[in-house]
Structures are given as structure tokens and as C-alpha cells.
Amino acid sequence: MIGVRLQRAEDEALVRGQGRFTADLHPAGCLHAVFYRSEQARVRLTRLETNRARKRPGVRAVFTGEDLSGMRLPQINPVLPQVEYVPPELLPCREIGAVGTPIALIVAEQLPIACDALAEIDARFDDADMQPRHHAQGEWRTEGFELACAEAKHTVSLEVQTPLLAPCSLEPRSVVAEYLPEEKLRVTLGTQSPHRNAKVLAEVLGLNPEQVHLVAPNVGGSFGMKASLYPEDYLIAWAAWRLRASVRWEATRLEEMLSGSHGRGGRLQGTLALNSEGRFLALQAQVEAPLGTWLPYSALVPAWNAGRILPGPYRVDAVHVTTQAKERPTAPVGIYRGAGRPEAALLMERLVEKAAQVCGMDALELRRINLHRSSDFPIARATGVVLDSGNYEEALERMRQASAELRGWRDLQRESGRLAGVGLSLFIEPSGQGWEQAEVCLLSDGTFEAATGSTDQGQGRSTAFSQIVAAVLNVPAEQVRVMHGDTQTAPEGIGALASRSTPIGGTALFQAASQLLEQASSEVARWEGVPVHRIRCAKEGLVCDQKVLTWPELAMRLKRSGAPRVLSARARFEAPGEAWGFGGCAVSVQIDSETGEVLPHQVIFLDDSGVVVNPMLQEGQILGGLVQGLGEGLMEEMHYDEQHQPLTTSFMSYALPRADNVPQLRLLHMATPSPWNPLGTKGVGEAGTIGLPPALSNAVHDALAPLKIENLNMPFTSERIWRSIQKARTRELGQ
Ligand code: SMO
């Protein structure tokens, strides 16, 4: 079952339109909520008149910040050592930092009534001299850093910026909160982290954890933006509690662009010092990641990740890395597929490429001599990370061979006078820390139930998890029903974040299934009067000598009273460390010198995510990540003007990649098992978004090298490229 391309069990319901998403939920008598949002940034609220809205027939309540006074405010994950954080109010009543900030909540019997009431709210603003309230930073520095720099023969420096992106999950955020008898609240929410968010929600609402039941039904994509709770989530739950009613809210796409979290938007500076042979002696890097005015729980993770992952797959003994997260007057900024990993890879791979030019060395050879050797793992690094396993040299060699034809293609293009380039990148991908829990049960009909604290947003997790349990129990995957996303039926877990689901969540299931097998085996051994090691787990069931006991027979025999679960085992897996995937990407591009359009020709992507549970799902993850990486590289960007007005708030103005933007893709695989989980698995969900942008950037710079164009930032839109070509030509004419 491990390594099998099993079809996704999830798909039939989803393609038949039988998926159940949050917005499909319409509890009887449910009230509808809309938010009145600020149209300006950095302003003081001087008047907020809600009486007329409140008096409209059908409006049940209009809430403002005053109604919330004394409410507890959510905290953030302090992954960086120095954090200044002033928890923002859920509905600010004085100063407003960003456009789109909710300042009033209208609850009505029907959605159109709530929408009409919005127009009756009278809010006035004055410009405010608002200072940023949030800031965080961290620093890692090895001893002997100056000494190493002093020995350098060459140094190269550069700065890269990554575009601010909108994660754009297909399903916009939505929340349905139901007030239940006996002082309970059921909150249905497309979240990546049901247990954690149930706890946080209870804390903020001042409830006991057992009063909040959180359910994540089908979720239509998340990419990090549905990891943490937003003001809207707290407020809908609070309103349901306060009104003792059910309340629902669905974000429009406009609201998603205005108040869903953005990702990336970082600025990174680096200096790499090399000796005369091209050995990397020292890396100095400064990472700056943006924050919005509202901070999701994981807001500091990109800054932390980008810093600690440096210097990527290379051995650099002396490092000085500083990282900081700084507030800007925008929508929340947080984790987005990759969450700091793509930024680190971009800085490093651009530096390496530039260093090769400065040293006059082949860029692949320069990479090769500086990679960590496979015999050196596990490798503890200055930024506090420990790389568990890898074979970076082989990855590079495979990429060298595979990309040879791209270089041949480029040379042919150039001979016929076209602008063409090839770029390469290597990357590493941490796949999460901490623990997950699982419970595996044998049901009275001989099938199995596997409950996980992890969750699914469309990745096909139920299929992969059923394969893991089926592999242990030697049964077909269809016999295993996976349950997740409901805090009442799933054991507590952290959730689907940071590519951790298979290595950590999957391992917890593996362990629970193994324990269940042990329990079942000892039952059989007891019945047969033999030691437990005489029991074998075969396809037919448990075998003692020649005697077979099928799972349904076993279940029948163990069945007591009417309980559906006849045996159950729970496990909690705490990862001893992070499993680090790695890989490489090569991209070839052609650039239309008249329009500046970048036309990707081919992408070759190598991934090593350890042992793969389902290669089809793994490929799906890589493809999706690659396309999002192309989006970042070629077209996506959130634009704000000088007044901090967001300009890209719909799919008319925010460019998402489409099928016809995707070039030929070729996937290569390696599998270096992680020693830190019994399955040997690693994460893969973020690989494409990490590896593609630096390779694309190197390819675009390679294509433009004949024009002496350097240091362009993504997205490589035709406008940006065309302008740089015009500038280069003017410069040439001038000379
Ligand atoms: S960007 Mo991920 O959901 O940790």
C-alpha cells in the first residue's frame, strides 16, 4: 500500500457536487452577517453611527468595538526571540490601520437585509499619525564570522524582493457558528487547524474548551491562509454566542483580497564570501518580512523560516543572519505555501549564480563543491536547525544531466537571435515539528476507522492516510475510513501545516495501527494459547500456524454489547526533529524582446520527499506548487498605492496563472528516507513554490544577460521586462 498510486477516495463526492463545504451549511433560523469595513488606512474613527442600520426591519443586531470591551485578545506564535506585539482589537473603535479592517458587524434575518443596512452606517474618519505597533526580530551569528570574511577572495552581494501575494484559495473563507443547548457553540470553519483554533476561540470568548466544538468540513484550498483565525471568525462565533442563535458569514472574493492574509512580500539582502577555490566561507544575510496590521497566529513564521533555512543546501561555516518582521498598513500577512522557504531559496540561488559569474566558475560546479556531503548527516547548523538526511550531490548530478537538453535548446534559440535562458535552483524543505495524535479502531463489521488530528483541504489526505493504516494491517485501503477535522471525533492535533501531515500525522496513524495490530494479535494468541510472535498478519487476516482468522471473524468474536468499536488504539507521535526534503528545479524561458513577455519553455523538477505514500498525490502536490510558483514568478502581485489602497482586489486585476501559462513539466524523483519517522516520509506540499521561483529568476537573468540586465525582481511581467529591455537599449545607444 505504501508507494501505490491509489485513486483519491475523496473525488467521487467532490466531482459530483456532493462535497460539503462550510457555505453549504444552512442551519434552521440561521442569521446572516456582513461586515462594515474601513475604506481607508491609518485613520482615526471620529464617528460611527449605527442606529439607522439597527432600526431597519430584519436587522437583529449591529455590533461595534464598544460592544466588545473587555474581551480577551488573541496572541501570536512567538517564534522569534524579540517580539513587540500589541494585540489589535477585533473591531477597532479608534485607530484603523488598514483598508478592509472590519469596524462593525451587522446581523440580520436575511443576507440582502444585512447588505442594505451597510449603507445606513455612517462612519467618519480623520487622518491619524499611526505608528506601527508590531515588530519582531531574531539573529544568528557564528563565532569567527569576521575572521572567515577576512579570508575571502571574492564577495558578492545582492538584494531580492518577493512580490506580496494573495493565496487565493478557490473557496473563500466562511464561518457558521451555531449556539447549541447547554451553553455550547458549534463552529464550522474551513480551517487547517481545528483543535488549535477551537482552543484559541474558547480562550478569546471566555468559554471552557469543551464548550467549543469546531468542525472543518470539506475545505477548498488553504495554502496557509486558513491556518490561523481572523477577526471575522472570532466575531461570528461571538455574535452567535451573544445572540444565542446561529450566524453565518461568507466572504466575497473582494473581502478575501481585502482581509484574507497575504503572503511573501519580503526583502532579503545577502553577501556571500568565497575563497579562491570557490568554497563558501561566510554568509551574511538580512531578511525582512512584512506584517499587516492584524497578525494571524503564525504571522512571524515566514521571517523565522526564511532566516533559519539559510544557507539552504550548502555548507557555510560562518553565518550572520538577521531576520525581522515589520508592520505595514495592509491586510494581514502570514504563512503562504512555502512560508519563508521560497524566500531563503531565492536569496541563496541568486547569490550562488552571481558568485559563479564573479569567480568565473561553472555555476553547477560551484554548487557541487559547496553542497553538504551525504555522509555528513545529520547536520546541525548555526541557525538552530538539524538537517536529518539527504543526498544533495546526487540531486545536483541528476539535475545537471536532465537540464543538459535545456541548455542545448537555449543555445539554438540564441543562435537564431532570440533571447533565451536556463536557470537552476536547489532547495531544502523542512516538514514540521512537534506532535500529532491518531486513533485507529476495529469496527464490529471488521473494517477500520482511523481518526487523525491532522486535516485535509483538498490534498487527498484521507486516501494517503488510509494507505498508511492499510499497509500496517495488510488490508485494502477501502476498508479504512479516515476521520478528521472534527474536534469531537478526532483526537487532538496541531493540523495541516508546514508540510507536516504525512511525516508527523501519518506516523501517529502508523503507530496507532501498529498498536491495534498488537492488541488484535495478542487476543488471537491468547485464544490459541500460543506466544504472540506466532501470529502473522496476512492479507486474509491474522494467521496462527495454518489457521486464519479474518478481521470480520475477529471483530465478531471481540464484539461486546452493541458498541461499534471492538478494539481501539491511540498514539501520539512526537517527531524527534524535522524531516528535510530537498530537490532542484530547472527552467528554460524565451523572452519576446518586443513585448517583454516571458514564455516558459520547460520545467524540470526533482523532488526527494523521502518515502512516498502515494506518488500520484505527491505529483499533484508538486504540480500545484509549481503553478503557484509560476504565478509568483510571472504575474501575481498585490499592489497598494501611496494611500495604502489595495488596487488588485479581484481576478480582473490580480493575475492568477491559468492552464495556458503552464509549460511542459517533467518530474524526477529521488527517495532518501528520513531516519526520524518510522515510515521515512518527508513533506512535499511546498516543494514547487520553493524551487521554481529561483530557477525561473535565474533563467530570466540568463536570458537577459546579453543585454547586461541584472537584479530584476518577480513577478517578471512583460511590462517590467519590456521596460528593462528599453532601458538597456537606450543605454547601449548612449554608449
Ligand atoms: S504555509 Mo503552511 O499552511 O504552513
Side-chain angles (χ1 to χ4, degrees), residues 322-621:
T322 56
T323 185
Q324 51 176 327
K326 270 184 164 173
E327 182 183 336
R328 289 192 212 156
T330 69
V333 186
I335 54 175
Y336 167 48
R337 202 172 194 172
R341 297 163 183 81
E343 291 89 328
L346 181 70
L347 177 68
M348 216 47 219
E349 293 303 306
R350 290 291 301 134
L351 274 172
V352 169
E353 207 66 33
K354 189 165 177 184
Q357 283 159 18
V358 169
C359 303
M361 278 178 79
D362 173 58
L364 293 180
E365 179 59 13
L366 183 65
R367 284 184 174 88
R368 193 189 63 78
I369 64 171
N370 285 292
L371 285 174
H372 283 299
R373 305 282 166 247
S374 38
S375 52
D376 292 344
F377 290 93
I379 298 164
R381 305 215 293 188
T383 58
V385 309
V386 181
L387 307 177
D388 63 321
S389 61
N391 190 344
Y392 302 165
E393 297 151 284
E394 191 188 328
L396 178 68
E397 188 46 38
R398 300 264 312 263
M399 287 309 297
R400 178 204 302 278
Q401 288 170 15
S403 59
E405 62 176 277
L406 302 189
R407 287 187 290 276
W409 170 86
R410 171 197 62 192
D411 297 345
L412 277 176
Q413 295 293 313
R414 283 187 177 167
E415 275 166 31
S416 47
R418 297 199 183 94
L419 292 174
V422 174
L424 191 115
S425 74
L426 296 178
F427 67 90
I428 55 176
E429 178 186 5
S431 37
Q433 306 176 344
W435 54 272
E436 279 300 331
Q437 299 192 113
E439 183 170 21
V440 177
C441 303
L442 171 64
L443 304 182
S444 57
D445 63 356
T447 65
F448 302 88
E449 209 171 71
T452 168
S454 185
T455 179
D456 179 76
Q457 295 84 41
Q459 300 93 329
R461 191 135 295 139
S462 296
T463 304
F465 281 173
S466 74
Q467 285 178 257
I468 291 173
V469 172
V472 175
L473 300 170
N474 214 345
V475 297
E478 307 86 76
Q479 307 267 302
V480 182
R481 189 168 145 241
V482 175
M483 298 176 23
H484 61 78
D486 184 322
T487 57
Q488 258 176 17
T489 55
E492 193 178 341
I494 293 177
L497 304 145
S499 299
R500 65 202 300 287
S501 299
T502 304
I504 306 181
T507 298
L509 277 163
F510 174 84
Q511 292 183 333
S514 305
Q515 283 172 29
L516 187 90
L517 179 59
E518 266 172 49
Q519 283 180 30
S521 301
S522 35
E523 292 285 357
V524 176
R526 201 162 49 84
W527 298 334
E528 299 297 323
V530 298
V532 70
H533 67 82
R534 294 262 300 275
I535 312 298
R536 257 184 335 113
C537 177
K539 275 206 167 58
E540 307 76 48
L542 294 187
V543 183
C544 176
D545 299 329
Q546 300 311 318
K547 195 169 161 194
V548 179
L549 205 65
T550 65
W551 286 105
E553 284 165 357
L554 199 88
M556 193 67 88
R557 201 155 159 191
L558 285 166
K559 194 169 165 179
R560 278 175 209 93
S561 69
R565 292 171 187 176
V566 297
L567 270 185
S568 83
R570 254 178 191 257
R572 181 182 194 276
F573 174 66
E574 170 112 36
E578 282 172 294
W580 290 73
F582 60 94
C585 182
V587 176
S588 50
V589 299
Q590 196 189 310
I591 294 179
D592 185 323
S593 58
E594 295 309 312
T595 64
E597 189 181 2
V598 176
L599 300 154
H601 158 252
Q602 209 184 113
V603 173
I604 299 174
F605 196 85
L606 167 72
D607 181 75
D608 188 326
S609 42
V611 172
V612 174
V613 175
N614 183 327
M616 186 187 71
L617 296 179
Q618 183 215 26
E619 282 165 17
Q621 285 299 312

